Amino acid sequence: MKDRLPGTIVKGISSAGILVMLFILYFLFREGLPVLRSVTLKELFWGDLWYPAESPPILGMFPLIAGTLAVTGLSSLLAVPFSLLIAVFVSEMAPRPIREFLKPILELLGFFPSIVLGFIGMAALAPWLQETFDMLSGLNLLNASLLLGILTIPVVSSLAEEALGAVPQDLRDASYALGATRWETTRKVVIPSALPGILSASLLGVMRAMGETMVVLMAAGGAAIIPKSVFDPVRPLTSTIAAEMGETPVGSPHYSALFFGGMILLVMTLTVNLLSAWIEKKGKMVK
Amino acid sequence: MRKTAAILAGIAILSLSGMAFGAEIVMNGSTTVLPIAQAAAEKYMAANEGVKISVSGGGSGNGIKAIIDGTTDIANSSRFIKLEEVKTAVEKGTYPVPFAVAMDALLPIIHPDNPVRDLSIDQLQAIYSGKITSWKDVGGEDKPIAVVGRDTSSGTYETWQEIVLKKERVSPRALIVASSGAMLTTVAKNKYAIGYDGIGYINNTVKPLMVNGKKGSVETVLDGSYPIARFLYMFTKGWPTGEIMKFINYMLGDEGQKVVASTGFVPMRILK
């Protein structure tokens, strides 16, 4: 009896947690799906005009989805190589005192408040970009992606560093015993065997960038267009929801469209998540 | 046991007396009117003990809906009531009564280095709908215009749409910022930008433009010569009575109008 009690408590609290999450899902679907009463699924996904306040509202989400993908893609492209090099440096190259100094700093930077970064983007980076590259406006895809890159580098690099650190020392020793140099060992032994961990760290960074709201709200420019260059302003789903939810009449098509945008985001992050789980599983099978 | 009963009775009496002496007013609606309502409510509560005013901002549409549904006493609105809303109200047996409590003017703003001084409504319309894309076409340098607008859900956007853009759509390429403050920062940091903000927000980091040759100010708004202006309303459910009437009278009187002026909006008349 005494032994069962902790088990019961764990079960009870954890199922409450799961219920809360299921409720959030239910709520998202209940508020989001009614949008299909006013527009067709095709118009919603492929329409390229977003004028939600007109009557009747024009709710084409394609530019918003394109904005989300563009910002996520570009920021990952900028951040992932940097993060991996930092991880390799910290884990394999840096002398012990430097490593011990860098690791906590990396972890700390992962919690940098995004609103501060957004403000830097709006008040400092955007004017600088404008001046330097003679742009129409520095509030654009490039600006937001640079900032999101800065935001994700600490997360990805500290996770990738952990993956590298988890490679057994025996493997390195064996490689050295065969006469390999440190760089050969890192490149041919350590990185390949940590690859699943490195990939899932990168995908976590991708998800972080996809769901980020504040930075894109302040620095991405907010125009609902499909970006043709990195200097075009974009309006990702997250910033659209954040900017428009406050003044939207509850229950209107615009309101449900914003919830529908939340559902699209959920599906997108879920896809990345499943991909990362699949990679990890595959990595285990290889071992 | 007896003690508990006594305490309960005490609480009951206290809460009853609270109901008898403390009037409560609920206000809901436009976030544009919110600063006025908030400041007026604070001043009014300080002067009238026992009155509790709760203010929240959920948008003009929500405020008017709440008046129709009877869940609020006063609805703040940055626009007049729409025909469908009147119809719904009459069907439900209520009649919302409008009180214009303040005026708001929107001023086009540009970077202080930009030589342009004056634009007509038609030029502004062409700029915002994307037909004019260079400053050269409106008397400025040969540089592209970075058009900055507000989110479609904001009351500021609604006024701009109604008076400047009329039936035209704002170009999808226009930059969109989420707040009046972000609008100021964006225009102040971009030499080629044009934006717009409520008269109360404008400071010397940006240069306000004249519209149709008229400078936006309290005087030009009040004499009706400045074109981009609108009334801000408080709607009550039927003709106001009791504490609600007293509050509306306060809003329209000199005290309330001074509060309006102090929040940066335009009062309904020139105050001494």
Side-chain angles (χ1 to χ4, degrees), chain B residues 3 5 9 12 85 111 124 146 168-170 178 235 239 268:
Chain B
K3 231 183 198 170
E85 288 166 336
H111 193 273
L124 286 170
E168 294 277 341
R169 269 184 195 155
V170 62
F235 282 86
W239 192 255
M268 299 298 293

Side-chain angles (χ1 to χ4, degrees), chain A residues 88 93 181-193:
Chain A
V88 168
M93 314 267 168
T181 61
R182 178 176 265 207
W183 174 237
E184 280 168 338
T185 306
T186 304
R187 195 163 58 98
K188 297 201 169 143
V189 177
V190 181
I191 293 182
S193 65

Side-chain angles (χ1 to χ4, degrees), chain A:
Chain A
M1 191 58 210
K2 234 183 192 177
D3 216 27
R4 267 195 214 153
L5 194 63
T8 320
I9 292 172
V10 169
K11 261 187 216 159
I13 294 179
S14 59
S15 40
I18 291 167
L19 272 178
V20 168
M21 282 187 271
L22 285 178
F23 174 76
I24 291 174
L25 270 184
Y26 162 76
F27 186 75
L28 200 58
F29 279 83
R30 196 193 67 184
E31 301 294 307
L33 288 177
V35 75
L36 298 175
R37 275 203 290 253
S38 22
V39 280
T40 64
L41 209 55
K42 196 178 156 221
E43 282 173 298
L44 202 64
F45 275 109
W46 294 112
D48 55 2
L49 288 178
W50 177 253
Y51 287 101
E54 276 185 18
S55 63
I58 296 168
L59 302 166
M61 286 194 148
F62 190 61
L64 312 182
I65 298 169
T68 300
L69 291 176
V71 134
T72 309
L74 187 60
S75 65
S76 308
L77 223 59
L78 294 169
V80 167
F82 269 105
S83 313
L84 298 189
L85 288 180
I86 291 172
V88 168
F89 174 75
V90 173
S91 168
E92 305 298 316
M93 314 267 168
R96 182 174 283 273
I98 294 183
R99 171 162 47 177
E100 236 121 76
F101 173 70
L102 281 177
K103 256 203 85 160
I105 286 189
L106 270 185
E107 272 157 24
L108 211 74
L109 280 176
F111 298 102
F112 198 76
S114 56
I115 189 161
V116 179
L117 219 53
F119 186 73
I120 292 173
M122 195 164 86
L125 190 55
W128 182 78
L129 285 172
Q130 263 157 230
E131 291 287 320
T132 320
F133 300 100
D134 195 30
M135 296 174 187
L136 188 57
S137 166
L139 298 173
N140 55 26
L141 177 55
L142 181 65
N143 186 347
S145 299
L146 281 172
L147 293 164
L148 278 187
I150 295 169
L151 203 70
T152 47
I153 284 174
V155 179
V156 177
S157 58
S158 86
L159 283 171
E161 195 269 342
E162 253 158 55
L164 290 170
V167 173
Q169 190 59 34
D170 295 358
L171 282 180
R172 291 189 188 88
D173 292 344
S175 172
Y176 292 140
L178 287 171
T181 61
R182 178 176 265 207
W183 174 237
E184 280 168 338
T185 306
T186 304
R187 195 163 58 98
K188 297 201 169 143
V189 177
V190 181
I191 293 182
S193 65
L195 201 60
I198 290 175
L199 283 176
S200 72
S202 310
L203 288 178
L204 206 84
V206 170
M207 277 200 286
R208 175 88 163 89
M210 201 177 262
E212 168 54 41
T213 308
M214 218 55 223
V215 165
V216 285
L217 181 63
M218 294 169 87
I225 52 170
I226 298 149
K228 299 216 164 50
S229 86
V230 294
F231 303 138
D232 275 343
V234 289
R235 185 176 190 82
L237 284 164
T238 45
S239 62
T240 309
I241 297 171
E244 295 175 13
M245 191 57 93
E247 288 273 349
T248 309
V250 179
S252 65
H254 183 194
Y255 175 86
S256 359
L258 293 179
F259 273 94
F260 200 88
M263 281 164 58
I264 296 174
L265 263 176
L266 189 75
V267 171
M268 283 164 110
T269 44
L270 197 68
T271 311
V272 178
N273 210 334
L274 289 176
L275 200 66
S276 132
W278 179 74
I279 286 169
E280 219 156 321
K281 203 171 145 204
K282 253 199 142 184
K284 281 206 184 103
M285 266 154 55
V286 170
K287 269 181 202 164

Side-chain angles (χ1 to χ4, degrees), chain B residues 141-198:
Chain B
E141 292 172 70
D142 189 5
K143 294 283 183 195
I145 305 176
V147 178
V148 192
R150 285 291 308 279
D151 264 300
T152 50
S153 314
S154 86
T156 314
Y157 162 85
E158 242 175 75
T159 309
W160 193 258
Q161 176 72 36
E162 216 175 279
I163 302 174
V164 175
L165 277 150
K166 296 172 197 121
K167 299 285 167 203
E168 294 277 341
R169 269 184 195 155
V170 62
S171 155
R173 298 199 65 84
L175 298 166
I176 304 293
V177 294
S179 68
S180 301
M183 173 68 87
L184 271 188
T185 316
T186 306
V187 175
K189 300 273 180 192
N190 190 338
K191 268 190 210 161
Y192 312 132
I194 183 166
Y196 53 84
D197 242 335

